[in-house]
Amino acid sequence: MGEQSGELGGLPGIFAEICDGDQRWFGTAGVADTATGRKRSPQDRFRIGSISKTFVATVMLQLTAEGRLSLDDTVERWLPGVVRGHNHDGSQVTIRMLLNHTSGIFSCTDDQEALNRHETHSPELPVQIAMAHPATFVPGSDWAYSNTNYVVAGMIIERVGGRALADEITERITRPLGLTGTYLPHGSDPRIHGPHSRHYTKLFRTEPDAPGPRRDRVRLHHVLGGGGMISSLNDLNQFFGALLGGRILPPDQQRDMFTTVPTHRWISNATYGLGVSSVTLPGGETIWGRGGALFGSWSYTYGTRDGKHMTTVNVNGDWVNSGWDDPIGIFTDLLQRKFSRLRDT
């Protein structure tokens, strides 16, 4: 395990953990708190954004394996009348379409103005906001990233399982794997419990005259199953290592999860499965995992298809000052160096 410090891209701080079998390496640069200069530590927790979707998809596939639902079930079967209006039709949208973003359901986070009118958000509210907009396309005819898909998926899990989504994730994933730093907050609690860095945001503005960063006080619980979870570097490497390595899902559900569809207007050279994606790096290596981006926190967790080699990286800001268009550029460079060296060994 090693450590380095420095400054990268004008962000407050970055840290990463690389796992090769039983060997781990931790590295950090910048700070966890710009006021105190405190460094980021391996134990720090952070908001993982859309990496939450992998946990939700995993729970859904476990329910499928238990025969409690089918990926070909429609949304209407489990949530009658919820997905309806402006050409949305839950009787034409399957659970599989939710999980691989081929549903055509409008993304609720594309209407931040409507979301920000409310202090707290029930699971139903983001869906209602989405239903006030036209569907993006006919279900199954195209691909478009939509956070509403996973809000709806979370609602179905709660309906089928009979308990809160947070409890399903705890009982099925985090507790069995010993992921002590990973959880979906209950209710409207916006805090990160346990050790963590400050999260700083410019509200995704990248222009040179964008206002300076401020501490993140944005309420994030509205994204629920779409992006509300909190985790740590080692927890994410453990989870994805087990998932990629086939130690969480039965073979049929593993095959479903990693059956991908093409994407566009998203991450370059990526395909999307059920809550996971593959990314082909500039050097030709294909890695598997998930990324997450929200106010003040961007993260990537990717590794080899067998789960034996994993890398998780997080920055506690949502901008870069030079050299890259956004933090994904930093992550891609890091992953390229890691996995090209693995290829050459």
Side-chain angles (χ1 to χ4, degrees), residues 157-187:
I157 288 171
E158 292 187 337
R159 178 67 58 86
V160 174
R163 57 185 173 183
L165 177 61
D167 293 332
E168 291 284 354
I169 290 171
T170 297
E171 295 303 319
R172 291 175 173 275
I173 301 174
T174 62
R175 185 169 294 153
L177 291 178
L179 308 182
T180 57
T182 302
Y183 64 97
L184 176 65
H186 273 279

Side-chain angles (χ1 to χ4, degrees), residues 211-227:
R214 60 184 177 85
R215 278 177 50 183
D216 169 30
R217 291 187 176 89
V218 180
R219 292 180 177 86
L220 296 165
H221 48 271
H222 69 265
V223 290
L224 299 167

Side-chain angles (χ1 to χ4, degrees), residues 52-53 55-61 63 69 71 75 78-79 82-83 93-101 105 123 127 146-161 163 165 168 223-226:
S52 306
K53 292 179 171 66
F55 288 84
V56 173
T58 299
V59 171
M60 189 74 84
L61 286 164
L63 291 170
L69 54 77
L71 293 179
V75 172
W78 294 107
L79 303 173
V82 170
V83 174
V93 175
T94 66
I95 292 174
R96 191 188 307 272
M97 292 175 187
L98 295 176
L99 298 183
N100 68 10
H101 294 296
I105 295 175
V127 181
S146 171
N147 282 303
T148 314
N149 286 329
Y150 276 77
V151 177
V152 174
M155 293 169 67
I156 292 173
I157 288 171
E158 292 187 337
R159 178 67 58 86
V160 174
R163 57 185 173 183
L165 177 61
E168 291 284 354
V223 290
L224 299 167

